[in-house]
Amino acid sequence: MPTNVKSSRFAQIVAWVAASIFVLGNFNATVGAWSGSILPLWFAGTQKPRRGFLWLLAISFLPGLLFGWRKIPLTGLDAALSYLGWALAAAVLGVLPFTFHRLLSPRLPGSLATLPFPLAAVAIPSLALALHVHAVSEIGLDRFFILWFAAVIVWLWNQESRATSPVFAAGCVFAAGCEIFRPYSGVALPINLLSSTTFSWICLGAALSLAVWAFFHPVQQRSWANRPQTIARLQSPFTGEPLQVVSDKGREALVSSSGERFPVRNGIPAFLKPEDLTGDNGKYNHLYETIGGFYDDTQRVFAAFRGLDVDSYFENYMNLLKVKAGDSVLETCVGTGLNFKYLPHGVKLSGLDLSAEMLANGLVNLRRWKMDADLYLGNAECLPFADSSFDVVYTCGGFNFFSDRAKAVREMIRVAKPGGHLMIEDETEEYVKSTYQNIPYTSSFYKDRKDAVTVPIDLVPPEMEDTHVEMLKEGKFYAITFRKPAAGLE
Ligand SMILES: C[S@@+](CC[C@H](N)C(=O)[O-])C[C@H]1O[C@@H](n2cnc3c(N)ncnc32)[C@H](O)[C@@H]1O
């Protein structure tokens, strides 16, 4: 049974207060000193390291040039170039701590993940000073707490407020509070007894130690060789041949007897052909490759501003699925795996998606939620699974804009076991028009659509059983549920 989406006033108030603080930070230097690093640090974490570095560099360097062009010395080309060079060097040094944090933080356990940013933000300018790069000024001890506070806030947000160490989180916020009120209270933290230079060297040593530790403790990827049951239900999506695992210099791949080779990258087998990224699939894939890093956060922030309870938002359609412990479940268009959290424990989870970026963030989610799932890069219209592999097959949120929706439904039915439950859930035309077509970035993807969205009930073959359409969230979403006949299909 679908539930009503519950409201959450508390989340809504917190969202508006937080937004107000960020806006205030642009006008008030004290507030800005505390809030100013939080958004860039969050943003760096949502991007691939190089792309994040370039974006932050552009954001910190170009506006300065645009608004401060009068400061550029016009006494000669050399002077102007020298000024620009130093300005660029200062911007690079300012962005490096964010990139260092992006590279290191995901590899560090628990609350240690908060340290790379403040350590690097103290160490890098000090090192630059020691090397006589005078484009920067030394960062004082106070800044460490301010930046550490930013890292803790972003870490708590990424942990969905489930701090692995509440004592640490409370301690950090307390230390930050002492720093904020120090000018008024005269309370000095013991750290202030250290000289800036000593403290900088300590930070440099600590940052390097963390980097070395992370280098020797890479994130372990699961091996496919020791999962014979999973491999047994895989097949080439193009020839239907069974697959087996081979390993070459530590790199795994799935191969078929006719020589097809599907590489396993970062623990995810890739079943895509270039043709899979043509038509609508290619167009929307570009969208998800770009927004994959902050897809989850956008959902959380939108829900909070609108005062919606996030869990009941997902339960609204996930409760329509009939899943029991022990079932094998496949979600096509799994994205970052957000729906997995709403399935019962003890379910064998598989997910497939066209976007490598969404899946990469899905792996991070699974580690964070301590869940296990097999993820695949592939096209929902051409599934890499043998017939009758899953007890439950469903798709949420991607179906409307597949290049070939009828083929995708046939594939879902093929891989479902006889008697298996299926669900197709997506947005209605009303939602696409009122939301996606009104958001500046997404509107460009949706404005030249050939057809309006219709509930695709005509694509469900008449021989399916218990076919049912449910309109959800005041008609903004539809969900079609049905069952593959237990006697199998002709
Ligand atoms: C709106 S997201 C939904 C993600 C997830 N199901 C959820 O509910 O949070 C749509 C997803 O569908 C995926 N997708 C779109 N077309 C696809 C296709 N042909 N095959 C597989 N995945 C596809 C996109 O890459 C994207 O991750």
Side-chain angles (χ1 to χ4, degrees):
M1 276 291 105
T3 50
N4 286 326
V5 179
K6 292 186 206 132
S7 55
S8 170
R9 283 285 159 263
F10 176 72
Q12 195 169 28
I13 291 168
V14 172
W16 283 105
V17 169
S20 313
I21 291 174
F22 284 123
V23 173
L24 186 64
N26 288 314
F27 303 100
N28 180 293
T30 311
V31 177
W34 286 92
S35 65
S37 301
I38 295 176
L39 283 182
L41 191 63
W42 163 80
F43 177 75
T46 67
Q47 301 296 305
K48 290 186 181 133
R50 196 162 56 109
R51 190 164 65 180
F53 173 79
L54 291 174
W55 266 111
L56 286 184
L57 192 61
I59 291 168
S60 59
F61 182 59
L62 293 180
L65 276 193
L66 216 58
F67 299 110
W69 63 272
R70 281 172 210 274
K71 287 192 215 144
I72 301 176
L74 299 175
T75 47
L77 188 62
D78 279 357
L81 286 180
S82 158
Y83 173 86
L84 289 178
W86 283 116
L88 185 62
V92 168
L93 288 174
V95 173
L96 278 180
F98 292 93
T99 307
F100 182 75
H101 190 84
R102 166 67 186 86
L103 289 168
L104 219 58
S105 173
R107 296 162 142 225
L108 296 173
S111 40
L112 273 186
T114 59
L115 288 176
F117 177 57
L119 289 175
V122 173
I124 289 174
S126 308
L127 200 61
L129 267 185
L131 296 173
H132 305 291
V133 180
H134 291 292
V136 288
S137 56
E138 189 165 13
I139 289 195
L141 304 182
D142 299 353
R143 286 288 287 163
F144 179 86
F145 280 100
I146 292 178
L147 301 174
W148 190 31
F149 176 75
V152 170
I153 295 292
V154 173
W155 176 72
L156 286 174
W157 168 259
N158 288 338
Q159 298 293 317
E160 297 169 15
S161 311
R162 285 181 302 213
T164 43
S165 166
V167 175
F168 167 83
C172 175
V173 173
F174 175 75
C178 289
E179 274 302 301
I180 293 174
F181 294 110
R182 190 166 56 88
Y184 314 105
S185 67
V187 178
L189 291 173
I191 200 79
N192 284 325
L193 302 177
L194 289 175
S195 81
S196 289
T197 314
T198 314
F199 186 59
S200 300
W201 287 114
I202 292 173
C203 287
L204 182 63
L208 291 177
S209 308
L210 286 181
V212 170
W213 189 91
F215 182 78
F216 287 108
H217 294 82
V219 176
Q220 290 297 327
Q221 300 294 352
R222 303 156 75 216
S223 164
W224 285 76
N226 53 22
R227 278 182 283 168
Q229 279 183 332
T230 305
I231 299 293
R233 67 168 168 233
L234 293 182
Q235 65 175 40
S236 159
F238 312 115
T239 61
E241 289 176 42
L243 299 173
Q244 54 180 7
V245 185
V246 292
S247 182
D248 182 17
K249 293 184 191 140
R251 285 169 191 256
E252 288 186 331
L254 301 173
V255 293
S256 70
S257 50
S258 67
E260 292 167 291
R261 191 180 178 87
F262 303 102
V264 177
R265 297 194 194 103
N266 301 322
I268 299 177
F271 289 105
L272 281 186
K273 270 185 177 172
E275 305 87 279
D276 289 321
L277 295 178
T278 54
D280 276 355
N281 283 345
K283 174 171 151 187
Y284 293 104
N285 185 248
H286 181 59
L287 172 70
Y288 289 106
E289 287 298 297
T290 310
I291 65 170
F294 47 84
Y295 174 82
D296 297 9
D297 292 337
T298 324
Q299 304 251 357
R300 286 166 74 192
V301 169
F302 272 133
F305 275 120
R306 289 160 60 197
L308 300 175
D309 176 76
V310 178
D311 289 337
S312 76
Y313 187 84
F314 286 92
E315 283 159 0
N316 191 255
Y317 56 89
M318 290 303 284
N319 281 355
L320 293 170
L321 276 176
K322 295 188 173 59
V323 184
K324 48 189 190 319
D327 278 352
S328 53
V329 175
L330 169 69
E331 176 171 353
T332 69
C333 301
V334 68
T336 57
L338 287 181
N339 296 315
F340 283 166
K341 276 204 293 182
Y342 302 93
L343 290 170
H345 290 290
V347 167
K348 174 91 189 75
L349 296 168
S350 300
L352 174 135
D353 201 280
L354 202 55
S355 161
E357 185 67 10
M358 293 288 273
L359 289 174
N361 286 284
L363 279 182
V364 175
N365 279 340
L366 290 172
R367 274 198 288 276
R368 180 184 301 156
W369 302 328
K370 299 188 175 27
M371 287 177 82
D372 193 22
D374 297 323
L375 297 184
Y376 305 91
L377 181 68
N379 185 351
E381 297 154 10
C382 202
L383 296 174
F385 309 108
D387 297 0
S388 307
S389 291
F390 298 97
D391 298 294
V392 177
V393 182
Y394 68 97
T395 187
C396 296
F399 187 83
N400 283 341
F401 301 108
F402 284 175
S403 296
D404 190 341
R405 299 185 309 157
K407 196 165 172 220
V409 177
R410 286 201 296 277
E411 279 292 89
M412 288 175 75
I413 295 171
R414 179 182 69 75
V415 302
K417 290 181 184 170
H421 290 272
L422 296 100
M423 178 171 81
I424 301 169
E425 188 265 6
D426 210 345
E427 291 116 5
T428 57
E429 178 69 13
E430 182 192 335
Y431 189 80
V432 173
K433 266 198 180 141
S434 64
T435 308
Y436 295 140
Q437 289 195 185
N438 283 332
I439 299 175
Y441 177 68
T442 53
S443 64
S444 60
F445 287 89
Y446 293 89
K447 72 171 189 278
D448 295 328
R449 294 182 293 130
K450 284 187 253 68
D451 303 309
V453 170
T454 52
V455 180
I457 188 73
D458 52 315
L459 300 180
V460 179
E463 59 271 31
M464 294 298 119
E465 295 174 352
D466 303 336
T467 303
H468 176 75
V469 180
E470 184 90 31
M471 301 309 287
L472 304 164
K473 302 169 193 162
E474 291 154 0
K476 295 195 172 70
F477 290 76
Y478 65 82
I480 308 176
T481 49
F482 53 101
R483 217 155 46 81
K484 182 170 172 175
L489 298 170
E490 288 295 294

